[in-house]
Amino acid sequence: MSRASDSRADGARQRAGSERRDPSPPQANANPASLSPRAGFEGRIALITGGSRGIGRALALSLAARGALPVINYRVNEQAARATMEEIERLGGRGHAIRADIEQLEDLERLFDEVASRFGRLDFFVSNASASNFRSFMELKPHHLERTFNLNVRAFVIGTQRAVELMDAGGRVVVLSSYGAIRSFPTYANLGAAKAALEAWARYMAVELAPRGINVNAVNGGIIESDSSAYFYSTGRVPPLETVLPKIPKRRMGTVQEVADCVLFLLSPAAEYVTGTTLVVDGGLTAIAPPFHADIPLGDAVAASAGERGHHTDL
């Protein structure tokens, strides 16, 4: 399948017609305390890849609750997609689900063709779908690299190009990254490098798309309680989770809702002036380094604290 032509993009714009929103940020100069929670979301069309589970699902429900129409993309789990749609309807919202394997370029193009055909426009694009293999560097084969690149990086880049064609009145793009983009840990090299590329792409896109009224940002999540982290820590190729969590300043995993709320902020009117950056949501994980506080024996920690109280230095 070929890339979108100019005529196809023109047709999408014509179908949108009077539905186009005002390009100025909704109530941008209003007192934030006076804004409705639905301000900036009501009637918006939001495409979320990997939207049937985890962070994508939490975001879809949050958007629906604020009057947006989430379009959730899923690959194979129709049951999870159906459950998400039912929950959207229970919240009084509307949504749409599209099955597409965005690792395949043809499916990625078809996904955006359907969005253009059905809605004629797009306000938010959230690139959330992600997967990889977890192997050490020397175990990686060419097909591991290719598949990880296609699903994570190519799908984001081509997807954003297609999304921009539907954002004549401006819009928001957010890509989900992870702390493996800036930290090294076992078996994560392939996906971590891809996540680092996503953050770099977000910066370049932000600069080029700002004149169009389109903001592009990344959200870098830490260890989040989800199916993905459960699988990663079940491989037996990394230290047990219970040995990792005490080293995080917050001493716990994050929740998918906590990450979704940060994405929601970047889609909101409050983030109108935020573009080209990465928002880190990791409980302080990337703020620390060895020696770790958690590794200090309790008795030593108490003694050290007492010593500090008894010793003063003039500054």
Side-chain angles (χ1 to χ4, degrees), residues 20-288:
R20 290 292 183 194
R21 65 180 176 88
D22 187 334
S24 61
Q27 305 181 50
N29 298 316
N31 181 347
S34 68
L35 291 180
S36 161
R38 300 169 76 93
F41 296 105
E42 188 89 49
R44 300 297 192 260
I45 307 298
L47 173 60
I48 307 167
T49 65
S52 65
R53 298 185 299 161
I55 296 168
R57 181 180 190 275
L59 177 62
L61 298 181
S62 295
L63 285 168
R66 288 161 174 76
L69 193 157
V71 180
I72 62 170
N73 153 247
Y74 68 100
R75 186 173 70 90
V76 293
N77 196 333
E78 186 174 348
Q79 182 178 357
R82 187 181 301 114
T84 302
M85 294 302 299
E86 290 172 354
E87 183 64 14
I88 288 172
E89 292 171 3
R90 191 190 68 78
L91 292 170
R94 295 188 303 127
H96 185 65
I98 303 176
R99 181 173 183 171
D101 178 2
I102 62 172
E103 181 184 337
Q104 308 302 321
L105 188 57
E106 295 80 4
D107 268 23
L108 180 66
E109 297 281 13
R110 179 176 57 79
L111 170 64
F112 281 91
D113 286 345
E114 184 167 340
V115 171
S117 175
R118 181 174 290 268
F119 302 105
R121 65 182 176 91
L122 191 61
D123 300 294
F124 306 144
F125 172 45
V126 180
S127 183
N128 170 67
S130 180
S132 186
N133 59 299
F134 299 114
R135 298 174 182 270
S136 65
F137 169 69
M138 292 302 292
E139 293 176 307
L140 292 172
K141 307 298 181 186
H143 70 276
H144 296 142
L145 305 178
E146 182 178 13
R147 294 195 63 186
T148 296
F149 176 85
N150 289 348
L151 175 59
N152 294 277
V153 182
R154 187 178 70 179
F156 172 53
V157 175
I158 302 301
T160 300
Q161 289 176 331
R162 291 297 307 269
V164 168
E165 293 174 352
L166 299 172
M167 292 179 173
D168 280 356
R172 304 289 173 85
V173 175
V174 178
V175 62
L176 275 295
S177 181
S178 80
Y179 76 103
I182 54 177
R183 295 290 186 272
S184 173
F185 50 91
T187 75
Y188 205 78
N190 195 10
L191 185 54
K195 294 293 190 180
L198 295 178
E199 294 185 16
W201 272 109
R203 291 191 294 272
Y204 278 91
M205 291 175 180
V207 173
E208 293 199 28
L209 298 179
R212 296 173 178 251
I214 297 172
N215 292 7
V216 185
N217 293 289
V219 171
N220 182 311
I223 302 176
I224 308 302
E225 190 171 4
S226 64
D227 292 346
S228 297
S229 62
Y231 173 77
F232 181 73
Y233 281 97
S234 73
T235 62
R237 309 192 71 184
V238 294
L241 185 60
E242 57 266 25
T243 68
V244 177
L245 294 183
K247 293 180 171 60
I248 300 174
K250 295 293 284 186
R251 299 292 197 274
R252 66 173 177 86
M253 303 175 79
T255 69
V256 294
Q257 189 62 55
E258 286 172 320
V259 180
D261 286 346
C262 290
V263 177
L264 203 66
F265 162 70
L266 292 173
L267 301 178
S268 75
E272 168 59 26
Y273 204 58
V274 180
T275 193
T277 194
T278 297
L279 177 58
V280 177
V281 189
D282 68 358
L285 174 62
T286 55
I288 61 173

